[in-house]
Amino acid sequence: LLYVTGGGCGFMKTIKTNDAKEGRVGFFSSIRTKMIFAVMLVVGALILCACLIVASQMNKINTEQFHRFMEQQLSVVAQNVRDVIQNAEHAVQAFAEHPLVKGADNTLNDYSKETKAVILKDVPKNKTERDLVELFTLIEKNYPEFAEVFIGTKWGGFATSAQGSLQAFFDPRKRTWYRQAFEAGGKTIMTSAYQSTIGEPVICVSKKVVSDNGDDVGCMSIEVSLADLTDFISGISLGKTGYVMLVQGDGTILADPKHANLNFKTLKESGIDAFVRFADVADGALSAEFDGKKWDAHVYSMKDVGWKIIACIERAEVSDSVYGFIRNIALVGAGMCVIFFVLLLVLSGRL
C-alpha cells in the first residue's frame, strides 16, 4: 500500500510537472501571446518614430533659436564697439573745428630732425602748443579709452597729450593716419590697428584740419586703445563654454581670449583650419572643429567699421538640452510600452 501510494504520488507529480511544461510552451506559442507581442512591436515602433520626429524638430528649433540668440548678442557687442569708435570720431570732428586746432601754425615743435628720442614734457613749447597740449590732455582724461590725442601739421609740427618719450626722426606727415586723413578730402578715417609711439596697440581716428582761410593745416587724430576693447571682448561669456573673437577687416585677430598668442596674427596665419574658414565667411552660422572639440560658430560683420565679431560655443553645450529632452521622451515611451503590455495581458486573459 505504501509502495503504491508512493508510486502514485510520484506518478501524480510527474503528471503535474509535464502539465506545467506544456503550459509554459503553450503560453509562448499561443496565438494570443503572439498577437500581444505583435501589437507591442507596432506600438514600440510608433513611439520610436514619434521620438525621432520630435527630436529632429526640437534640434532644428533649438539650433535656430541659438543662432537668433547669437545674432542678438553679437549685435549688442557690435554696438558697444561702435560706441567706442564713434566717440573718437565725434571728438575728432569737434576738435577739427576748434579755433585752437584750426589756428595751429608752423611754430609747433618739429621732431623730424631729432637724432635721439626726446622727452616731450621737457621740450620748451610756445603758447599755441601749450594751449593745444592742455586741451588734448583734458579730453584724454575724460575718455579712458583714448590712448592719445594729437595733431600733426603740414609743416612737420606735432602737439600731443602724451608727454613721454618720442622716437627720433618722428615726422607725422609720414605716418599712416596722416596720409590717409590728408587724402580723404575732409572725411574722418579709421586706420588699421598698429603699435603706437606710446607702446600700446591702437587704432587711430583722424581728420584733416582746414583753417578759416581754407588752407590745409594738418590732421587731427585720436588713438583708441585696443586694451579696453580686448578686455571688454575677453570678458564676454556665452553659456559655459562660449566666447567671442574680434577680427579686423584684413583678418587680423584683435581679441581672442582662448588663444591670446594669436592676437595680432591673421586668421590665415593662425594655423587653425577652422579660423581660415572664418576669414571667408561674411555673416552667418557654421560648424567648426579646433582644440580637439566641435564648435558652433556665428560670424557677425560690422560693415560700417570693417570688422567681424565671431562667437564660438561647444556643440555639446548647444545639444545638451535636446539630448535631455530626447532621453525624457524615450523614458516616457518606455513607460507607456510597459503599461500597454500589462493592460494587454490583463485584457487578453479575460477574453
Side-chain angles (χ1 to χ4, degrees), residues 2-16:
L2 289 172
Y3 173 76
V4 172
T5 303
C9 290
F11 176 71
M12 291 301 292
K13 289 179 181 177
T14 302
I15 292 174
K16 289 180 180 179

Side-chain angles (χ1 to χ4, degrees), residues 245-253 265-288 290 297-301 306-312:
M245 298 169 58
L246 182 63
V247 180
Q248 202 167 246
D250 61 0
T252 300
I253 301 170
K265 291 184 179 180
T266 66
L267 291 169
K268 294 184 177 179
E269 294 171 344
S270 65
I272 301 175
D273 292 339
F275 284 17
V276 176
R277 291 176 56 212
F278 291 163
D280 299 327
V281 176
D283 279 293
L286 69 158
S287 298
F290 57 89
H298 195 100
V299 180
Y300 183 97
S301 290
W307 290 358
K308 288 181 183 178
I309 301 175
I310 304 171
C312 299

